[in-house]
């Protein structure tokens, strides 16, 4: 039997739910079983090449190949656009399954967990340019600014839905970075629960706040700027640094200097600085690693406001140089052959040479 | 600057420690910073091809290219062997840094965590055949049996070292599976701490035991064998099944029927069944997924015996079909487009057809 036949066998067992949240009975680990995503082109074979311009659904002129946009930026009335937000055609979670029911509305015995089992949520794509470019570093000023503004707007839009608790914004670039479409884009998945990685950061920050009455990230910034061993860039509103316990070679975090739990609280002045900084950091990451596949992700506060004092949003960026393998899956520990101190030195030099080139 | 130059810059900053354990100040997440591994051939470029026989250090006749073996199996006195255990030439952790110091021996103020920072541990390679084959399914009966026996022996050997707490045995096969050497092998990394994924399983099992006075895995086996929706193979001593909250398409777990926390307690009768079962399960996984890259890992009890009642060792196996990307890194949640029910059906048919072919 061919693998493709097996998959259609799989989809025949549909129970009417498109996606389903399942918890592991041993660890409680949450998994999204997303049947629709097996229909995604380029998904099930490890993608080694990405689509070209001619067949690219995200390019200007191909708008009819994607669902109706949720938001369009940069359209001055002539139908042109710079950034578009569209529903993911192969969603991991969907708002269509009906809103998540509150615990007190549910029949006896049903827990919130089983209700969340329906796979309620949102999955969107932010197309960052009408041009067929593939990397965030290739955006122009307006595209980068509007992309980062779109993140803010989408967080605000989903934050109003009281059936959702969190939205993860992330970018997969390059086949090794998990992208199935080459055209520059990022994604948002909004979930009816706070995911474990975010919960772990929140717990660490809450502990720190209870002990020191200060934000853990504000303290980290102060310490790192003092030591200057791992700082990659230090701008007016943002600092980029390699974290002390970096999981990946050339991993960096971009942290706002001003204490703010929620990305949606970002001011326009901060937005205007973040675009160019992130673009040159991505370029430096590619230069230092020799890899054009990378991921970045935005960690921001869940939609409730209870962590405003002690959480601090930030972006985590890393090139995809190493395969994560048996040891990492088995233990949850990462082996990183590149200490963050020399990594930050390399990234810093590259960013400085970009800046020198720009001003010369 | 070329990436290779950056790496040598990196190794110039050596502080005398080859590896170092670091904890993230926000989440407490442990990372192994392993400078020596950046010297590993095939490591830093994403490997797309693996070495051939002629230059393979793991083949019979090339023994002098690897460190002195820690154990040799199948040598009848003539210098031939079937399975060899050797130290990893590019270790993530090392016993050479001096044994881990007990908290009461340490100068005031130093915590166990900072002591563990030295990167104490062990990293070994189990070469599973003298022949240049690449997949566990290609082992003959004796090689498979001796490999699984070597796992048992190495766990017993490290279990006697009271500076170590756990050993993770794992297999990376294929470039996409994280292998840098093609020749069939598995690895062991022994750590001075219980890693988070293992700790999460132990905590789940302890909770279940406290509530039900039964082992969570024993209960899971009973339930799964009853429902038979996700069972792939049911043998005398072992059951293979797709877990309810499978993270990956075609993920399977192999669980011993008899309650045992520690793999080292495996009897010879169980060993004899496990080899052929695991070999045909690996072959079925490759057949169903269309991928020859996979990982398997052994979750067994930490070296202390406190979890004997409530933990249950098992093997987790999965093909590497999808890139894990921004969403998974950001949230700790997996998106799996292949539900375990049809996956187990496909794997079951493939295993049955192997068996039919063998007996015909």
């Amino acid at each position: 039997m061919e693998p493709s036949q097996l998959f259609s066998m799989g989809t025949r067992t549909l129970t009417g739910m498109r996606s389903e949240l399942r918890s592991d009975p041993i660890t409680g680990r949450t998994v999204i079983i997303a049947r629709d995503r097996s229909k995604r082109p380029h998904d099930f074979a490890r993608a080694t090449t990405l689509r070209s311009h001619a067949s690219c659904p995200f390019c200007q002129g191909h708008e009819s190949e994607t669902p109706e946009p949720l938001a369009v930026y940069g359209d001055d009335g002539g139908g042109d656009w710079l950034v578009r937000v569209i529903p993911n055609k192969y969603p991991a979670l969907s708002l269509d399954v009906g809103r998540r029911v509150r615990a007190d509305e549910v029949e006896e015995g049903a827990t919130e967990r089983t209700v969340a089992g329906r796979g309620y949520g949102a999955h969107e794509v932010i197309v960052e340019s009408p041009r067929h470019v593939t990397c965030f570093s290739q955006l122009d000023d307006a595209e980068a600014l509007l992309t980062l503004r779109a993140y803010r707007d989408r967080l605000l839009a989903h934050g109003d839905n009281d059936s959702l608790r969190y939205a993860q914004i992330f970018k997969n670039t390059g086949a090794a970075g998990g992208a199935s479409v080459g055209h520059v884009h990022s994604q948002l998945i909004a979930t009816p629960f706070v995911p474990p990685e975010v919960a772990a950061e929140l717990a660490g920050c809450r502990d720190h706040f209870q002990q020191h009455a200060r934000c853990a990230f504000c303290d980290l910034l102060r310490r790192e700027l003092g030591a200057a061993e791992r700082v990659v860039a230090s701008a007016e509103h943002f600092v980029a640094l390699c974290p002390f316990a970096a999981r990946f070679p050339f991993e960096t975090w971009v942290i706002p200097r001003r204490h703010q739990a929620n990305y949606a609280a970002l001011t326009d002045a901060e937005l205007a600085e973040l675009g160019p900084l992130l673009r040159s950091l991505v370029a430096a990451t590619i230069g230092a690693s020799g890899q054009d596949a990378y991921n970045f992700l935005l960690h921001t506060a869940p939609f409730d406001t209870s962590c405003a004092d002690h959480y601090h949003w930030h972006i985590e960026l890393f090139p995809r140089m190493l395969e994560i393998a048996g040891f990492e899956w088995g233990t949850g520990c990462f082996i990183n052959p590149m200490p963050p101190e020399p990594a930050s030195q390399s990234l810093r030099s590259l960013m400085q040479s970009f800046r020198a080139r720009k001003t010369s």
Side-chain angles (χ1 to χ4, degrees), chain A:
Chain A
M1 203 162 6
E2 289 297 299
S4 59
Q5 278 178 277
L6 299 179
F7 288 113
S8 50
M9 270 174 57
T11 49
R12 275 210 302 278
T13 67
L14 272 172
T15 60
M17 284 189 298
R18 301 207 299 191
S19 279
E20 192 184 337
L21 295 183
R22 293 192 179 186
S23 293
D24 181 72
I26 309 288
T27 58
R29 176 173 56 212
T30 300
V31 169
I32 301 173
I33 305 284
R35 294 172 174 83
D36 269 9
R37 286 181 72 73
S38 66
K39 300 175 197 148
R40 197 159 54 126
H42 289 254
D43 196 359
F44 251 98
R46 287 172 70 94
T48 48
T49 51
L50 298 169
R51 244 179 283 239
S52 67
H53 167 66
S55 61
C56 173
F58 293 173
C59 274
Q60 190 160 39
H62 295 211
E63 290 81 359
S64 63
E65 296 169 31
T66 55
E68 276 298 296
L70 301 160
V72 175
Y73 296 84
D75 182 353
D76 55 5
D80 283 351
W81 53 272
L82 293 175
V83 169
R84 282 175 96 221
V85 182
I86 51 178
N88 193 305
K89 225 170 159 177
Y90 307 95
L93 297 175
S94 167
L95 297 170
D96 293 346
V97 296
R99 78 179 169 82
R100 180 157 153 285
V101 183
R102 284 200 318 274
D104 58 349
E105 297 173 302
V106 176
E107 66 273 31
E108 216 181 318
T111 62
E112 275 214 314
R113 181 173 281 181
T114 60
V115 171
R118 290 179 189 173
Y120 183 80
H123 192 168
E124 303 173 354
V125 176
I126 299 106
V127 181
E128 301 168 4
S129 170
R131 300 173 292 130
H132 194 71
V133 293
T134 56
C135 182
F136 192 83
S137 67
Q138 297 166 307
L139 298 184
D140 66 27
D141 284 344
E143 291 163 346
L145 181 77
L146 291 172
T147 295
L148 296 172
R149 187 175 292 163
Y151 293 174
R152 187 175 67 179
D153 294 348
R154 299 316 296 163
L155 287 173
L156 287 169
H158 292 296
D160 280 343
N161 176 341
D162 65 7
S163 297
L164 293 173
R165 297 231 178 116
Y166 183 76
Q168 182 61 57
I169 289 173
F170 59 100
K171 173 186 274 293
N172 301 338
T173 299
S180 58
V181 174
H183 190 121
V184 65
H185 71 285
S186 34
Q187 296 180 70
L188 174 151
I189 295 183
T191 53
F193 58 92
V194 177
E197 283 293 321
V198 181
E201 282 190 358
L202 288 167
C205 286
R206 199 181 45 237
D207 286 356
H208 186 95
F209 192 81
Q210 280 167 354
Q211 276 182 47
H212 305 285
R214 289 189 311 269
C215 162
F217 279 95
C218 288
D219 275 4
L220 184 150
L221 269 188
R222 211 170 354 236
R223 218 166 43 234
E224 292 290 348
L225 287 167
E229 266 190 305
R230 286 174 290 270
V231 174
V232 173
S234 171
E236 188 185 347
H237 300 295
F238 291 94
V239 174
L241 53 83
C242 293
F244 172 70
R247 290 159 294 182
F248 307 104
F250 301 108
E251 175 179 356
T252 51
W253 293 357
V254 178
I255 308 174
R257 285 179 185 266
R258 184 165 68 91
H259 176 77
Q260 44 190 334
N262 199 323
Y263 178 90
L266 196 66
T267 65
D268 284 338
E270 288 164 335
L271 262 181
E273 185 182 277
L274 183 56
L277 176 71
L278 197 53
R279 254 161 48 207
S280 56
L281 185 62
V282 164
T285 302
I286 292 171
S289 65
Q291 286 293 318
D292 55 10
Y294 61 90
N295 299 113
F296 72 64
L297 55 96
L298 171 62
H299 271 168
T300 182
F303 294 144
D304 73 51
T305 53
S306 63
C307 63
D309 280 343
H310 59 265
Y311 194 60
H312 197 123
W313 76 262
H314 59 279
I315 289 171
E316 304 182 6
L317 164 69
F318 40 88
R320 296 296 294 270
M321 302 179 72
L322 304 172
E323 287 295 350
I324 297 309
F327 179 74
E328 288 83 355
W329 295 124
T331 61
C333 285
F334 292 83
I335 300 175
N336 177 2
M338 182 61 172
E341 294 76 17
S344 75
Q345 205 181 319
S346 313
L347 291 166
R348 201 163 51 239
S349 331
L350 283 166
M351 285 191 73
Q352 280 161 357
S353 70
F354 292 149
R355 219 165 301 146
R357 216 182 302 159
K358 228 176 178 175
T359 54
S360 69

